[in-house]
Amino acid sequence: MKYKTIIKEDIEERVEIYAKSRTKLIEQIESLCENDEIELVGYFEDESCLINVNEIQRIYIENDKTYVSLDDKTYRVKYRLYQLEEIVTDDFIKINQSCLININYISKFKTSWGGSLLVQLKNGGVDYVSRRQTKVVKERMGI
C-alpha cells in the first residue's frame, strides 16, 4: 500500500483512500478520521478532566448515573447512554440495556452454565451480554 503525507499550514486536512475493496484497515482509518477529536468531560470526586473517547473501555449505568471506565479510573459523565451511543466510535458495541463496551479492550469471553456470555475487559471490568444482544455481539466479534 502506498501513502503520501503533505504538511502545510494553509490547507484543509483530509484523507483520501483509493482501494480495490473495503478492508478492516480502511475501516480503522475512517474511524480515526471521524472521531479524532472527540473528548468528554469526566468527573472523579472533586476533579474534572477531559477523556478521549478512544481510551474508554466501558460505558455503563449504575444507580441512574452514567460512568466511563478507563485503564486506571472510573469517571462519571453527564450524558445519557443513548447520547453516548451517538457520540462514540464504531468500536463500541451495546452488550446490554445499560452498557457499551469498546471491542478493542476485550480481554476474553466466557460462557456461563446457563449459556449467557460474560465479557471481561483488559482493565478487569466484567459484564454480561444480554440475550437480545448476544447474536449481534457474536456477529461483530466473528464468534
Side-chain angles (χ1 to χ4, degrees):
M1 180 182 288
K2 296 180 182 181
Y3 70 92
K4 182 178 182 180
T5 304
I6 301 170
I7 300 176
K8 291 184 181 177
E9 288 186 22
D10 59 340
I11 62 172
E12 175 188 7
E13 290 182 348
R14 70 175 185 212
V15 175
E16 293 181 10
I17 300 172
Y18 299 90
K20 293 179 182 175
S21 64
R22 183 170 209 71
T23 63
K24 180 88 173 160
L25 177 61
I26 291 172
E27 291 173 3
Q28 289 174 339
I29 292 169
E30 289 173 340
S31 178
L32 285 171
C33 291
E34 290 173 358
N35 301 296
D36 184 36
E37 301 289 326
I38 298 176
E39 293 181 329
L40 303 173
V41 177
Y43 302 92
F44 181 76
E45 295 176 0
D46 60 346
E47 68 180 49
S48 62
C49 67
L50 290 176
I51 300 168
N52 186 331
V53 169
N54 296 323
E55 295 175 3
I56 297 172
Q57 293 190 24
R58 179 170 72 134
I59 302 169
Y60 63 97
I61 306 294
E62 190 174 285
N63 298 327
D64 292 329
K65 293 187 171 130
T66 308
Y67 295 93
V68 295
S69 291
L70 282 67
D71 281 333
D72 55 348
K73 283 189 179 178
T74 299
Y75 295 92
R76 190 174 61 80
V77 293
K78 294 184 178 181
Y79 290 94
R80 296 280 189 197
L81 194 63
Y82 73 89
Q83 293 170 320
L84 290 170
E85 277 184 272
E86 296 172 3
I87 294 172
V88 297
T89 66
D90 292 336
D91 292 336
F92 284 83
I93 187 167
K94 189 171 187 173
I95 62 167
N96 60 47
Q97 195 67 24
S98 61
C99 184
L100 299 170
I101 59 167
N102 188 333
I103 61 175
N104 297 321
Y105 290 100
I106 293 174
S107 174
K108 60 185 168 185
F109 286 99
K110 291 182 182 180
T111 54
S112 70
W113 59 271
S116 60
L117 270 179
L118 179 74
V119 178
Q120 184 169 355
L121 300 173
K122 292 180 181 176
N123 70 353
V126 176
D127 213 329
Y128 283 95
V129 178
S130 70
R131 288 182 299 164
R132 288 184 178 180
Q133 296 300 115
T134 300
K135 182 179 177 183
V136 174
V137 171
K138 285 183 175 181
E139 286 174 357
R140 180 81 183 273
M141 299 305 297
I143 300 174

